[in-house]
Amino acid sequence: MLKKRADTNLKNSIIFTLFFLSLATGLYFFRIFYYSKDYILERANYYFFDEKYFFAVRYFDKAIKLKTLDIEVYKDYAQSLLKLENYDLAIKYFKLVVELDPFDFENYYALANILYTKACNTNNRKLFLQACQYLKEAINLNPNSEKLYLLIGLCYRRCSLYNEVRLFYNKALVSQKFNKASFYNLIGNTFRQEGLNQNALDYYQKAKESDPLFFIAYYNIGDIYFHLRDFAQALSWYKKSIEVNKEFIAGYLKIAGIYYQDNRFKSSKDWALEALKINPNNPKVNYILGMSLYYLNEKEKGLKYLKYAANYGDSEAMLSLKTINLE
């Protein structure tokens, strides 16, 4: 009797165990096939929009393994990978995006931008040129997107292919849809990089004539004259740049620097103080102000600014403090 009851209990235990195992297995597969995909994509999108890219990548990776063919998933996955600096995988998936949707210029731009970012980090000329090929495709699809011309110009400039740079900048100028002053200025920069100063000046002049409020052109003309050691002309153009944009600290800094190098310490102090109103944390401004005060016999005040500049990493300030301490 006891043996029969034990056999019955064992049989029931086995039946119940098998039942629960079957139920658990069924629920598992139900979750996989009917619930996991939506849940995984929901979590992936949540982390992506919350800019938690590490977790986003984990869930996008799971979604990809479920054979998700939604192009937006691949885009967001690639962007998350880019944020984590996984360039190779980001490139792989944006190439897939381009294959799936070859008529959207934004896809080519995004792929080119990833290639450009990786090329900058690795100084890889081949990658810059690959980016250019995708950007050419994008321009063919949409010749009226300014960012395409800007990026292709950056890529060709990194390869020192200045004629190619100017070719696309001139195409942008012909389109009549973009800020002409900006592209004239960029063409001037290419000539300046080649050491063709007169050509650069011509295009900077075109930039300011196209838009008299384009203060960078005035500043760049000042830089050309500074390079040519015509400091009077340089000062004049730097001053014009800040007449147009009174918050343009680089102009003040260059003016203060010229006066400082010319031992005109009262003027360098005055211009540095103006720059300091715009950005009190700028180490170079603090250095020039500190040294100007020091030579004007306001040594205690000068040392305060020099120490501030040194604390912010200005190497000239560090060297000056050592020299002063040795006196």
Side-chain angles (χ1 to χ4, degrees):
M1 186 73 177
L2 289 172
K3 184 178 179 183
K4 186 175 180 181
R5 185 176 294 172
D7 290 342
T8 302
N9 289 339
L10 179 61
K11 187 188 292 185
N12 290 336
S13 177
I14 292 170
I15 290 170
F16 277 116
T17 301
L18 290 173
F19 172 76
F20 281 114
L21 283 173
S22 300
L23 182 62
T25 304
L27 287 171
Y28 173 78
F29 282 107
F30 176 82
R31 184 183 177 116
I32 287 290
F33 291 108
Y34 296 98
Y35 178 66
S36 284
K37 180 178 173 181
D38 290 339
Y39 174 77
I40 288 168
L41 285 174
E42 180 186 321
R43 299 311 295 166
N45 289 323
Y46 169 79
Y47 286 123
F48 178 74
F49 288 112
D50 203 35
E51 298 183 1
K52 295 177 179 177
Y53 299 110
F54 177 79
F55 296 107
V57 162
R58 288 177 61 182
Y59 279 97
F60 279 130
D61 188 51
K62 291 178 182 179
I64 299 295
K65 288 174 182 174
L66 292 174
K67 307 297 182 185
T68 301
L69 296 176
D70 187 338
I71 192 170
E72 294 302 320
V73 173
Y74 294 123
K75 285 182 184 180
D76 293 345
Y77 183 38
Q79 290 292 354
S80 299
L81 290 164
L82 176 61
K83 295 291 185 181
L84 297 177
E85 299 184 7
N86 190 339
Y87 301 118
D88 292 333
L89 210 50
I91 289 166
K92 173 186 172 181
Y93 278 98
F94 249 111
K95 282 183 177 178
L96 179 58
V97 168
V98 167
E99 289 175 17
L100 291 171
D101 185 5
F103 301 108
D104 186 346
F105 81 96
E106 291 282 6
N107 296 335
Y108 291 93
Y109 174 79
L111 175 54
N113 190 47
I114 296 173
L115 287 164
Y116 170 76
T117 304
K118 182 182 178 183
C120 288
N121 286 322
T122 58
N123 199 28
N124 188 321
R125 178 186 173 91
K126 184 178 177 182
L127 290 176
F128 285 121
L129 295 176
Q130 281 182 31
C132 289
Q133 294 307 310
Y134 286 109
L135 288 165
K136 286 178 182 177
E137 293 290 339
I139 290 169
N140 287 336
L141 289 169
N142 182 3
N144 298 317
S145 176
E146 187 174 23
K147 65 184 179 182
L148 301 178
Y149 297 96
L150 293 173
L151 186 55
I152 200 169
L154 287 173
C155 290
Y156 278 128
R157 280 175 71 178
R158 291 296 294 262
C159 298
S160 299
L161 297 172
Y162 300 114
N163 286 332
E164 292 294 325
V165 178
R166 289 189 283 269
L167 171 68
F168 282 95
Y169 287 163
N170 277 308
K171 283 184 178 180
L173 285 168
V174 169
S175 77
Q176 302 289 328
K177 292 185 179 293
F178 312 129
N179 185 331
K180 280 192 170 186
S182 175
F183 282 99
Y184 282 133
N185 183 68
L186 288 169
I187 293 172
N189 289 345
T190 66
F191 283 119
R192 185 171 158 193
Q193 284 182 278
E194 291 184 275
L196 301 172
N197 292 320
Q198 187 54 56
N199 298 69
L201 277 174
D202 290 343
Y203 275 90
Y204 292 145
Q205 291 283 358
K206 287 183 179 182
K208 76 175 184 63
E209 287 165 10
S210 174
D211 180 1
L213 298 180
F214 192 77
F215 62 93
I216 294 296
Y218 299 93
Y219 178 81
N220 284 337
I221 293 171
D223 271 353
I224 293 288
Y225 283 113
F226 183 86
H227 177 73
L228 296 172
R229 303 189 67 76
D230 186 341
F231 299 121
Q233 279 277 34
L235 278 171
S236 173
W237 286 101
Y238 289 142
K239 287 177 181 179
K240 286 177 183 177
S241 75
I242 61 176
E243 284 173 16
V244 178
N245 183 354
K246 297 191 183 302
E247 298 297 309
F248 184 47
I249 191 171
Y252 293 94
L253 186 54
K254 283 293 183 73
I255 295 167
I258 289 174
Y259 283 130
Y260 175 72
Q261 292 298 328
D262 197 35
N263 296 330
R264 296 161 69 180
F265 301 120
K266 174 69 169 60
S267 294
S268 62
K269 180 193 87 169
D270 291 342
W271 283 96
L273 283 169
E274 289 300 313
L276 210 66
K277 293 176 185 175
I278 301 167
N279 184 357
N281 297 323
N282 187 294
K284 190 56 65 182
V285 170
N286 279 275
Y287 165 71
I288 293 173
L289 179 56
M291 291 304 298
S292 299
L293 289 166
Y294 184 82
Y295 287 121
L296 289 168
N297 289 320
E298 297 183 60
K299 294 184 178 182
E300 194 172 322
K301 268 177 139 182
L303 285 171
K304 182 184 79 170
Y305 288 106
L306 284 174
K307 287 175 182 176
Y308 193 89
N311 287 337
Y312 273 84
D314 188 272
S315 57
E316 289 183 291
M318 294 177 193
L319 184 61
S320 295
L321 283 171
K322 287 181 182 177
T323 304
I324 289 168
N325 287 333
L326 290 173
E327 289 179 354

